[in-house]
Amino acid sequence: MTNETLTNLVRDMATGAIRVVDLSVPLDENTQVIGLPEEFEQSPGFKLERISQYDDKGPAWYWNKISCGEHTGTHFDAPGHWVTGKDYNDGYTDTIAPEKLIAAANVIDVSKESAEDADYVLTADKVKAWEAEHGAIEAGTWVLMRTDWSKRTGADFLNIDENGSHCPGPSPDCIEYLVKERDVLGFGVETVGTDAGQGFHFDPPLPAHTLMHGNNKLGLASLTNLDQLPPKGAVIVTPPLKIVNGSGSPLRVIALAP
């Protein structure tokens, strides 16, 4: 790579030849977080408390205290988030290699299917059909499942009834294919978590967590604006906060798209 490569990148971003797309939801006290069965400890929502704002507590400065669970809003799942990935020394937010935090993205559009069936499941066959049209998924790249779920608001986003949450996600054979046959970097979604709402019924349960993290792969949840990305050709920037032994982190995911 030459200096010209980076110079051209910055020039093309400035002129709009490369679009910069924000894939993140705003963080505030209305940001929805995943709910767990009552017997488990729940993740807290986002909270912002003012320290000072040009007043007696700080006459020339404004700042706040923030608190939330690591997996709040648009967030990053490190391998150590799941029991199957707990033993990877490079599987936490402070130990993941930084070169993994900028990578190409494959966007698989299943928004129509998800609109028709809230429990839609992305299978390996669907991925292979997408590859037949758009080209093979390269090793070390992201697979992002576009469902347009981020356009939902209020209770429709978590979509919970007496049987639990109903939202789309990947099948076990999909994740197995992406991990074993394509060696992807990770899997990202627009829903509150990387697995289908009914994914605890799968074998293995919650495959985007169990299999992806068990193979030292990454996750992204609560993405938005995936409808602004092409099937191939975008690059996403995904650095979590460098929390020591962190299992994940809220983050602002940025895409560079042609």
Side-chain angles (χ1 to χ4, degrees):
M1 186 183 74
T2 65
N3 288 340
E4 185 178 6
T5 303
L6 293 177
T7 300
N8 289 342
L9 172 65
V10 173
R11 180 201 63 205
D12 288 348
M13 290 170 61
T15 62
I18 294 176
R19 295 181 297 118
V20 180
V21 183
D22 189 346
L23 304 185
S24 314
V25 299
L27 269 181
D28 63 20
E29 294 184 2
N30 296 315
T31 301
Q32 298 190 67
V33 297
I34 198 166
L36 300 176
E38 293 181 359
E39 62 267 29
F40 301 121
E41 187 74 18
Q42 302 298 311
S43 180
F46 181 82
K47 186 176 183 181
L48 184 145
E49 298 178 271
R50 184 176 303 161
I51 299 173
S52 68
Q53 189 174 18
Y54 330 122
D55 52 26
D56 291 344
K57 296 180 180 180
W61 50 91
Y62 166 56
W63 53 357
N64 302 293
K65 295 184 290 183
I66 60 174
S67 62
C68 62
E70 292 173 319
H71 302 264
T72 302
T74 301
H75 65 269
F76 185 99
D77 288 354
H81 172 47
W82 213 246
V83 65
T84 52
K86 66 183 178 64
D87 293 327
Y88 290 110
N89 292 330
D90 60 347
Y92 296 84
T93 51
D94 62 321
T95 59
I96 293 169
E99 56 265 28
K100 289 185 174 183
L101 305 178
I102 303 175
N106 305 274
V107 182
I108 300 178
D109 182 1
V110 292
S111 56
K112 180 180 179 181
E113 295 91 332
S114 299
E116 295 172 351
D117 179 8
D119 291 317
Y120 174 78
V121 175
L122 177 64
T123 64
D125 284 345
K126 175 67 175 182
V127 173
K128 292 173 185 177
W130 181 92
E131 289 183 302
E133 181 178 357
H134 299 289
I137 294 168
E138 300 89 350
T141 63
W142 283 98
V143 171
L144 307 181
M145 182 179 174
R146 177 191 161 190
T147 58
D148 288 351
W149 209 258
S150 60
K151 299 180 186 298
R152 292 184 169 225
T153 59
D156 285 344
F157 180 69
L158 295 180
N159 201 31
I160 296 172
D161 65 14
E162 64 276 7
N163 297 313
S165 175
H166 297 274
C167 59
S171 68
D173 78 310
C174 172
I175 298 298
E176 187 78 21
Y177 177 74
L178 295 177
V179 168
K180 299 299 184 183
E181 301 297 327
R182 291 295 178 256
D183 192 23
V184 299
L185 175 65
F187 186 75
V189 298
E190 295 181 71
T191 48
V192 73
T194 53
D195 275 293
Q198 295 292 301
F200 54 88
H201 292 305
F202 297 169
D203 183 18
L206 306 173
H209 286 80
T210 303
L211 300 177
M212 195 65 69
H213 299 324
N215 285 276
N216 206 17
K217 307 297 184 181
L218 312 176
L220 292 170
S222 290
L223 297 170
T224 189
N225 292 328
L226 294 187
D227 57 345
Q228 297 186 32
L229 302 186
K232 277 182 173 286
V235 170
I236 62 172
V237 185
T238 61
L241 296 174
K242 198 173 183 179
I243 302 168
V244 175
N245 293 325
S247 74
S249 163
L251 77 168
R252 191 166 188 177
V253 181
I254 299 297
L256 305 179

